[in-house]
Amino acid sequence: MVATLFAQRMEYIKASEIRELLKITERPEVISFAGGLPAPELFPIRTLAELASRLIIDEGKKALQYSATEGYTPLREKISSRMKKVFHANAAVDEIMITSGSQQALDFIGKVLINPGDEVFMESPSYLGAINAFRAYEPKFVEVETDSCGMIPEALEEALKSAKHPKFIYVVPDFQNPTGRTWSVKRRKALVELAGKYGIIVVEDNPYGELRYEGEMVPAIKALDTEGWVVYLGTFSKTLCPGMRIGWVAANRHLIEKLVLVKQGADLHTSTISQMQINLFIETEDFDAHVQRLRQVYRKRRDAITRAMGRYFPEDSRYNYPEGGLFTWVELPAGIDAAQLLKEALKRDVAFVPGAPFFPCAPRKNTMRLNFSNMPENRIEQGIMRLADTMVSLQ
Amino acid sequence: MVATLFAQRMEYIKASEIRELLKITERPEVISFAGGLPAPELFPIRTLAELASRLIIDEGKKALQYSATEGYTPLREKISSRMKKVFHANAAVDEIMITSGSQQALDFIGKVLINPGDEVFMESPSYLGAINAFRAYEPKFVEVETDSCGMIPEALEEALKSAKHPKFIYVVPDFQNPTGRTWSVKRRKALVELAGKYGIIVVEDNPYGELRYEGEMVPAIKALDTEGWVVYLGTFSKTLCPGMRIGWVAANRHLIEKLVLVKQGADLHTSTISQMQINLFIETEDFDAHVQRLRQVYRKRRDAITRAMGRYFPEDSRYNYPEGGLFTWVELPAGIDAAQLLKEALKRDVAFVPGAPFFPCAPRKNTMRLNFSNMPENRIEQGIMRLADTMVSLQ
């Protein structure tokens, strides 16, 4: 087999060197800020075991069978209610499709919307998984100037005006991956206004929104949208567990109809049993109390990492203080290449993800993403100390 | 939102009228030959319930967490062994990637290989789900003359010679969906020879191969391939249960590497817990004995449908006698349109799928697909009687 057998689009879908580098570091002695894994000790193991068994005994013939592409209706109903309750966002049951993780929703959105060369507007930086999903459909990424409150509306409008084939705006407004930043309400309103003015779809990806550790809940961008421009992506990967791969997309009916057609061709439907199991969990357990437990644990870890960074990091590095989510973001002095730093850090048994690949167009090599959800506080502090030592050694 | 917002490829991904028609018929009084559902009374409910609970208790932290894109290694090992044991096909563990049902493998193969306009060679008729999956990547379908033993090699060679951008040959050689036909060994060998001669990939889709009710097992096309041209797709949907969505693709390492990259962008990985559960089932249960039970029940249903068709169908209709799988195929007299017949049949509370959409290029309206796996024998006989009445009423 030779490379010319592959489709053109495979030119844009490349193996990541960083990913390969990090694979070698799954040794237990490595303190890893690299992944985006929720804490497995917070999975409700006993409850899920009991529910799994009960579900199969009581409804196995249905739970193990093929099911509808749109998803399991009782679960879609619960998602609709929760979006309303937590984020004030309106989505009717038939405006919701279940996906195999919200990563799949990103792929389908690319498939339904992107023609080669279409402009996709992204925050600077943005979620790497979205960049990778969209890349398969050969868009032109437009990186919009972004500060700690979100995309700068003037910069976005400028970009929209000069676009040739504007397709959609992709944002992660709550505790963004990779930066941990959250958009202000003002910026959310400005975005919705621009969407209406220019007639452009906004894709709001919100995997972390429920994980707020301080400050007040902010309404989803979808909650501010009266014209149906906002497509909302959610997931149970961070609030319950990622191993079942249950996410969803909420959008206007025209778009959902297309997404359903694409899903029929792509995998028929998402795991019936996993959908029914999560539905049963929400039905029989106190989901709010469960999320509250996650918040308590993650808050302490967020505190531990920001405290340790404040204490040990060199003064010329800057870091973000996230109000929620799983990540913080570090800007190193301009001369330092985080990929180089990673190689040195691995020698000291500490890992992270360099920030450059998160920039769709203009990589900034002196940045890095740190995850804090997957380790106890003492490991976090120790890891930050090691990382600080590495930073100093490079200066 | 207006239609021009959608990508060009959505022109080829349309809602199916038949699908909509059949949706209305989920009333219990309808005898349906329409779906492709395995018999839910054969799901090993008690065992799976017990294993699910045990798995989550013992390995929940792993089973509910993110996992590798390639799939769960112990399951890949078992698939490798079973492919060897049952179909004499060689695939090393790192030549196997787990997918969310084998439908997902079809989508990924399209994504990795097809440029718009590339020729994809299909049997006449072929699997509708494959046609739909590939269509998103805008190939040119070439329908190769096919008889009861498989594609006719001379016709295939002619088609390959006159192709401009030949990409791959897609076949379902065992108890094909929709016809129930099985390729002879001679035809399999001829296909592999042509693949080598013309340097073209063969995609062998084998969801039904284990469900043989009579005759001798035939080696997989992959088993005859020494040069690595054959990509093999398998699934647990028909041998265990479809609701977990666990399938796989086995191919040479170059192609697997690309498929893994595409899967990273498309859904990160397949459900960890479902993979581990199926792995545990194979580890602790007698999978051969389980498949043997399926064969016994389905054989009786195959016998019931062929017997009833022989007894009640008008003499000018022809039907296939399948040695395995879930389907048989009927050719009606040339003047009868099966879509019209379906409308009449639904009035008599009996359903099936018209054959036309299974032809990638040249639909033959006087054909239909009948499924026999999802009903007891007496319902099958009654349904065939009703269908025969409908056929007579149209003549």
Side-chain angles (χ1 to χ4, degrees), chain B residues 167-339:
Chain B
K167 192 40 73 96
F168 61 82
I169 305 161
Y170 171 81
V171 296
V172 185
D174 289 31
F175 323 123
Q176 193 218 27
N177 180 353
T179 62
R181 293 194 290 226
T182 297
W183 285 45
S184 67
V185 178
K186 199 174 159 192
R187 288 285 176 84
R188 289 169 196 245
K189 284 182 179 159
L191 177 62
V192 169
E193 262 170 43
L194 285 173
K197 182 172 172 188
Y198 288 89
I200 188 165
I201 289 173
V202 172
V203 178
E204 176 181 30
D205 191 0
N206 190 13
Y208 315 107
E210 296 233 13
L211 300 177
R212 176 175 278 282
Y213 315 132
E214 65 181 65
E216 278 186 34
M217 287 299 278
V218 182
I221 293 172
K222 178 134 188 96
L224 307 170
D225 169 37
T226 53
E227 297 178 24
W229 292 108
V230 180
V231 178
Y232 179 98
L233 312 189
T235 178
F236 290 102
S237 290
K238 307 307 185 294
T239 52
L240 188 54
C241 64
M244 292 192 195
R245 314 301 305 123
I246 303 292
W248 70 91
V249 48
N252 74 55
R253 286 175 185 81
H254 299 290
L255 193 51
I256 287 290
E257 194 183 295
K258 298 290 181 191
L259 290 165
V260 168
L261 287 177
V262 158
K263 189 166 171 66
Q264 272 170 13
D267 70 353
L268 299 181
H269 66 86
T270 289
S271 166
T272 320
I273 186 166
S274 293
Q275 292 185 67
M276 289 178 76
Q277 183 153 8
I278 290 184
N279 178 67
L280 194 58
F281 182 86
I282 302 175
E283 211 160 86
T284 55
E285 301 297 310
D286 184 341
F287 201 79
D288 284 330
H290 170 71
V291 173
Q292 193 52 39
R293 277 192 296 276
L294 304 184
R295 285 194 197 110
Q296 281 163 5
V297 173
Y298 290 153
R299 179 186 296 117
K300 286 184 198 152
R301 293 178 182 184
R302 190 275 318 262
D303 291 346
I305 198 167
T306 49
R307 199 167 48 230
M309 289 191 299
R311 192 173 297 166
Y312 303 111
F313 272 9
E315 286 213 347
D316 52 1
S317 67
R318 295 193 303 162
Y319 59 86
N320 188 33
Y321 178 83
E323 293 193 331
L326 310 182
F327 303 103
T328 183
W329 179 254
V330 181
E331 288 190 29
L332 302 160
I336 297 188
D337 179 349

Side-chain angles (χ1 to χ4, degrees), chain B residues 357-369:
Chain B
F358 293 90
F359 293 88
C361 309
R364 291 175 53 203
K365 292 186 171 182
N366 64 324
T367 57
M368 59 184 182
R369 187 193 75 175

Side-chain angles (χ1 to χ4, degrees), chain A residues 68-70 97 108 257-269, chain B residues 13-16 19-20 23 103-104 107 127-130 132-133 245:
Chain A
T69 306
E70 293 82 349
M97 179 179 87
F108 291 168
E257 193 183 294
K258 298 291 181 190
L259 289 166
V260 168
L261 288 177
V262 158
K263 189 165 169 70
Q264 274 170 12
D267 70 351
L268 300 181
H269 65 85
Chain B
I13 307 178
K14 300 272 189 198
S16 148
R19 198 177 185 109
E20 294 309 306
K23 259 188 188 170
Q103 184 70 32
Q104 189 180 53
D107 178 41
Y127 170 50
L128 182 56
N132 285 341
R245 314 301 305 123

